[in-house]
Amino acid sequence: MILETKRLILRPWEDTDAEDLYGYAKDARVGPIAGWPPHTSVENSREIIRGVLSEPETYAVCLKEDGKAIGSVGLMIGDRSNIGLPDTEAEVGYWIGVPFWGRGLIPEAVKELTRYAFDDLNIETLWCAYADGNDKSRRVQEKCGFVYHHTDRDVLFPLVDGIRTEHVSRLTKQEWQSKTAKGENDYD
């Protein structure tokens, strides 16, 4: 599946993306706040593409102008999520390389993924979480219509050997449809 927005292409990850992935994922400002360690080499990034990033409904976020991977967005449907969901619900995950922060690209990608989840996959509810202090991720969720639902304390993040407080937001299909009817789900 390939999804498109005004500025982006969301497509499956490929082995040839390993060098670009490593270029952004080695930055300690990216992975640890999302719960994963910085990548250590191009080969490490290639292994992650073949494993984690090859999961269903996981997409490389690419600029249309050059097609290079600059981040990732994905849906973890049902029991594939980190928060134990039924098959009619999904968790949204995302990140983007530091040079692209503040340009509205991840909200644009998440909005398209949301449309796809509700319209094409018939998902009923989307969930999203961010660790305490990750204001950029909180802001993405707000821009995409997610509403705070609850806070989980003492959440184990085994990949970074840490315990965190996580804030969980939710967006239902009905809420999304209402915002769409009012023109509130545009990319601009």
Side-chain angles (χ1 to χ4, degrees):
M1 174 64 64
I2 295 176
L3 304 171
E4 288 190 40
T5 71
K6 183 176 174 181
R7 300 180 291 173
L8 302 170
I9 294 172
L10 310 180
R11 60 159 173 80
W13 284 90
E14 302 167 354
D15 274 2
T16 55
D17 294 321
E19 193 169 320
D20 293 327
L21 173 59
Y22 175 63
Y24 301 119
K26 68 181 178 182
D27 191 317
R29 293 172 289 178
V30 176
I33 194 76
W36 45 271
H39 292 196
T40 57
S41 66
V42 172
E43 188 53 40
N44 176 226
S45 291
R46 188 171 287 109
E47 290 169 8
I48 290 169
I49 288 171
R50 292 175 180 168
V52 175
L53 297 178
S54 68
E55 289 291 320
E57 306 305 341
T58 303
Y59 301 92
V61 175
C62 307
L63 292 174
K64 279 186 172 179
E65 61 198 49
D66 63 13
K68 293 185 181 227
I70 60 169
S72 188
V73 66
L75 295 169
M76 295 164 281
I77 300 172
D79 61 10
R80 287 190 45 244
S81 80
N82 295 318
I83 52 180
L85 299 173
D87 289 342
T88 57
E89 299 183 9
E91 181 179 0
V92 177
Y94 50 83
W95 67 267
I96 195 164
V98 173
F100 303 96
W101 286 5
R103 292 174 49 184
L105 295 168
I106 283 297
E108 185 173 324
V110 169
K111 285 180 180 182
E112 175 57 17
L113 195 67
T114 298
R115 183 212 56 77
Y116 170 67
F118 289 142
D119 279 352
D120 299 345
L121 300 179
N122 205 27
I123 297 294
E124 294 174 6
T125 303
L126 290 175
W127 297 86
C128 215
Y130 64 92
D132 217 18
N134 190 347
D135 291 331
K136 287 177 179 29
S137 187
R138 175 187 53 81
R139 198 62 198 110
V140 167
Q141 292 171 37
E142 291 171 355
K143 287 179 181 179
C144 294
F146 286 79
V147 177
Y148 172 81
H149 187 268
H150 69 277
T151 296
D152 290 329
R153 301 195 187 289
D154 301 322
V155 177
L156 178 63
F157 282 76
L159 295 177
V160 291
D161 195 28
I163 305 270
R164 300 187 181 165
T165 296
E166 224 180 20
H167 306 285
V168 181
S169 301
R170 176 182 81 174
L171 179 63
T172 67
K173 185 173 187 174
Q174 184 177 6
E175 291 166 339
W176 178 79
Q177 288 172 330
S178 175
K179 289 176 186 293
T180 300
K182 295 176 187 173
E184 296 175 13
N185 286 329
D186 296 332
Y187 298 128
D188 298 324

